[in-house]
Amino acid sequence: MTIAHARQRTAVVDADIHPSIPAGALAARLPEPWRRRFETFGTRIAPPPAIYPRVRNGGMRLDSFPANGIPGSDLQLVRDQVLDAFGIGYGVLIPLQSHSYGAEQPEFAQALCRALNEALREEFLDPEPRLVSSICIPHEAPELAVEEIERYAEDPRFVQVLFPGGAETYLGHQKYLPIYRAAARAGLPVAVHLGGIEQHRADGWPSFYLEHHCWFGNSMAMTAANLVIEGVFEEVPDLQVVLVEGGITWSGPLMWSMDQAHSLLGDDVPKLRRKPSEYFREHFWFSTQPIEEPGDPRQLAWALRQTGMVDRIMFATDYPHWDFDSPDTALRALPKDLRQQIMSENAYHLYGLERP
């Protein structure tokens, strides 16, 4: 058996690939007056590469830049550097530009998100059956967001609803409940990816990129705790949430801490009928990149098992970012059965994907 065939048999699922649609291609799909507004004024929120602190080249791999374009915009390069290179069974698209589009004036935000969804379908999903995508929504306009969910949920290639970690308020706020209910009705998880309106509520504005990068988990932990404690999962019991690009091992201590506090302060959160950890384990999923990496890699398996959620961790490359994790080398210190579970089994289960 060749190496390529062996890779194909593993059917790895990459839970976090970042595509990009160039501004011209997006504008061509916008109706007036939104096209003119987009071409004249752009959007009000800067994309992640434009926000300090950030490493050079917008945090992208140098070899991910196509000859004429931006990283993530060239399907053939995505094939060459990810899908074909590693025998990927499926790749889940998470377009970060939607984080800013979703926060525009409501009708403009909806037009931008719809244009982005259509571009993803036409330029990535139609020509490449190994790719599935997230539904981009105008998250600050819940009624319009529900329209987008219902529009694209009938296409099985859209496997989740995308939300930024940095919204106008905490994600447990009741204003977002209609979106969560619509996602749950459609049988789709909500993926929360860092980004959006960069307010750094959890850790404050960092001075250095190293500081910013190391504390992704802090911001994600605040989001997860807020969703639990606000009672979102009592309101929407079928909702599943994927925490993308925010680490994993912090979740065990967070659950311990929330349970301990709840035993003393439970009267303060009357919506919660059970311990916070029970909601956490039943409703959250994780992606692996960037994963915490101890000096002794054998300790990683121990740390992951402390979460009690190894059946809810999914592998991600984070292509085309500079800290891309190769499917050939990532998580090699894990026991074989645990690695296989994370590299493929968990994602097939969550997204209901057919095996190649």
Side-chain angles (χ1 to χ4, degrees):
M1 181 184 296
T2 66
I3 293 176
H5 286 147
R7 284 174 175 165
Q8 299 248 352
R9 286 189 63 183
T10 64
V12 170
V13 178
D14 184 349
D16 188 17
I17 295 175
H18 297 303
S20 294
I21 302 300
L26 193 74
R29 292 175 168 85
L30 287 171
E32 293 293 0
W34 310 125
R35 180 184 301 182
R36 185 170 65 256
R37 175 172 176 170
F38 179 69
E39 292 176 337
T40 304
F41 299 105
T43 56
R44 71 183 181 93
I45 299 175
I51 300 172
Y52 181 84
R54 197 73 178 179
V55 293
R56 192 175 179 181
N57 303 307
M60 304 297 178
R61 286 172 41 167
L62 287 176
D63 65 349
S64 70
F65 284 80
N68 296 296
I70 54 179
S73 64
D74 188 306
L75 174 58
Q76 190 54 52
L77 206 53
V78 174
R79 286 171 173 149
D80 293 343
Q81 296 184 337
V82 186
L83 302 179
D84 294 339
F86 302 104
I88 298 294
Y90 288 95
V92 182
L93 300 179
I94 298 181
L96 296 183
Q97 62 202 101
S98 73
H99 285 4
S100 58
Y101 296 166
E104 293 292 337
Q105 183 268 342
E107 289 77 14
F108 185 35
Q110 184 180 30
L112 286 166
C113 288
R114 184 166 298 181
L116 182 54
N117 288 325
E118 289 300 311
L120 292 169
R121 179 153 63 182
E122 294 167 7
E123 299 188 20
F124 287 88
L125 305 186
D126 286 349
E128 180 48 72
R130 290 172 292 181
L131 292 176
V132 294
S133 188
S134 311
I135 301 174
C136 304
I137 60 170
H139 50 270
E140 302 301 349
E143 290 185 6
L144 301 181
V146 170
E147 288 183 15
E148 295 309 296
I149 293 170
E150 293 175 346
R151 179 183 182 91
Y152 292 99
E154 295 182 1
D155 186 335
R157 298 172 300 176
F158 287 92
V159 298
Q160 62 189 9
V161 175
L162 184 58
F163 232 104
E168 288 183 354
T169 187
Y170 286 112
L171 299 194
H173 194 282
Q174 62 183 0
K175 71 173 281 188
Y176 301 120
L177 287 176
I179 299 175
Y180 301 146
R181 290 191 179 108
R185 281 197 306 271
L188 298 174
V190 168
V192 178
H193 191 291
L194 292 175
I197 302 174
E198 291 278 3
Q199 299 185 53
H200 295 283
R201 296 187 184 95
D203 48 346
W205 276 92
S207 300
F208 305 97
Y209 182 66
L210 187 154
E211 178 186 4
H212 175 58
H213 192 268
C214 290
W215 278 99
F216 285 169
N218 195 22
S219 180
M220 194 64 82
M222 292 289 289
T223 294
N226 180 252
L227 286 166
V228 170
I229 293 170
E230 287 281 359
V232 168
F233 302 115
E234 282 290 342
E235 297 279 357
V236 193
D238 294 331
L239 179 65
Q240 298 292 306
V241 177
V242 186
L243 304 175
V244 185
E245 206 168 318
I248 301 170
T249 59
W250 51 263
S251 60
L254 175 62
M255 284 186 274
W256 303 337
S257 178
M258 287 194 299
D259 282 355
Q260 174 63 19
H262 183 257
S263 69
L264 301 172
L265 305 170
D267 289 344
D268 189 39
V269 284
K271 288 184 179 180
L272 299 192
R273 300 178 183 177
R274 297 183 289 154
K275 294 192 297 184
S277 63
E278 294 180 24
Y279 297 102
F280 199 104
R281 289 195 173 97
E282 292 177 10
H283 294 276
F284 286 113
W285 300 70
F286 305 91
S287 72
T288 60
Q289 207 293 325
I291 197 169
E292 301 88 345
E293 299 184 67
D296 181 351
R298 294 171 298 181
Q299 294 175 348
L300 179 59
W302 178 87
L304 294 180
R305 287 195 167 111
Q306 296 308 302
T307 67
M309 299 179 68
V310 294
D311 60 337
R312 288 171 167 260
I313 300 170
M314 302 181 292
F315 172 74
T317 63
D318 195 26
Y319 179 86
H321 291 164
W322 67 273
D323 49 351
F324 170 91
D325 276 350
S326 165
D328 276 357
T329 57
L331 310 178
R332 281 294 182 186
L334 298 182
K336 184 177 180 180
D337 60 338
L338 178 56
R339 185 174 188 271
Q340 177 66 19
Q341 187 176 12
I342 292 173
M343 298 294 287
S344 64
E345 301 296 336
N346 294 340
Y348 278 100
H349 174 66
L350 174 64
Y351 295 124
L353 301 172
E354 292 186 15
R355 291 192 174 277

